[in-house]
């Protein structure tokens, strides 16, 4: 599932569901260490949808393993995969994807046994950073939330603590993922 993604970062006290105008699946995460916590809401945008404009990050995310056209990958801000790999294989995949797409701001891959590895812009020289140990490989919107965190001025090193939120809602919710 590739396309335009909108992410809104809210202070921890503002845990509310996104407005009804937010289309598609939504992933709600609590991110960061105590004192710097935010709630990230990321949603894929359907063509023609006009969500409210209070997002802090709007970017193009691409599943680098399923996209048929290399042009999509070449213009992506975020590249990800949802196929878990052993840690060393995930690190190699990230290095290869980052080398092929130097304009990409963030690449992320799930690790077999749990968690993700991510690499961002300047971090490519130092290798991937383990993040989001509690988030499974079925949450590709995680990569978009990581991108928004970086745009806000955070670092990947701060994100070992990331978890999905389970909140009561009129919408069907499962582990923080909401389908409209």
């Amino acid at each position: 599932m590739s396309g335009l993604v909108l992410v809104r970062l809210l202070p921890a006290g503002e845990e509310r569901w996104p407005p009804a105008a937010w289309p598609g699946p939504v992933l709600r995460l609590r991110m960061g260490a105590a004192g710097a916590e935010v709630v990230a809401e990321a949603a894929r945008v359907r063509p023609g949808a006009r969500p409210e404009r209070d997002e802090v990050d709007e970017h193009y995310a691409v599943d680098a393993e399923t996209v048929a056209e290399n042009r999509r990958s070449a213009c992506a801000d975020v590249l990800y995969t949802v196929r878990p790999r052993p840690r060393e294989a995930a690190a190699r995949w990230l290095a290869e994807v980052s080398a092929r797409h130097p304009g990409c701001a963030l690449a992320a891959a799930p690790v077999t046994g749990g968690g993700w590895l991510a690499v961002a812009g300047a971090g490519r020289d130092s290798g991937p950073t383990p993040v989001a140990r509690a988030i499974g490989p079925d949450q590709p919107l995680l990569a978009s939330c990581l991108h928004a965190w970086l745009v806000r001025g955070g670092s990947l090193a701060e994100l070992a603590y990331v978890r999905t939120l389970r909140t009561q809602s009129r919408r069907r919710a499962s582990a923080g993922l909401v389908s409209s």
Side-chain angles (χ1 to χ4, degrees), residues 38-79:
V38 297
V39 176
E41 299 174 335
R44 295 236 179 253
V45 179
R46 283 187 233 129
R50 299 302 328 157
E52 293 180 14
R53 303 307 307 171
D54 62 347
E55 299 83 27
V56 296
D57 185 32
E58 181 176 329
H59 60 269
Y60 191 66
V62 173
D63 182 337
E65 291 191 314
T66 63
V67 72
E69 297 177 36
N70 194 25
R71 290 184 307 219
R72 283 187 175 174
S73 299
C75 65
D77 301 301
V78 173
L79 291 169

Side-chain angles (χ1 to χ4, degrees), residues 75 98 135 145 155 175:
C75 65
S98 296
I135 308 297
C145 291
S155 72

Side-chain angles (χ1 to χ4, degrees), residues 54-125:
D54 62 347
E55 299 83 27
V56 296
D57 185 32
E58 181 176 329
H59 60 269
Y60 191 66
V62 173
D63 182 337
E65 291 191 314
T66 63
V67 72
E69 297 177 36
N70 194 25
R71 290 184 307 219
R72 283 187 175 174
S73 299
C75 65
D77 301 301
V78 173
L79 291 169
Y80 64 89
T81 180
V82 293
R83 186 168 62 114
R85 294 170 165 79
R87 186 180 177 96
E88 298 78 22
R92 276 192 307 275
W93 185 86
L94 289 168
E96 291 167 7
V97 165
S98 296
R100 280 195 318 266
H101 305 287
C104 175
L106 179 120
V111 178
T112 305
W116 288 67
L117 287 180
V119 63
R124 292 180 178 149
D125 297 334

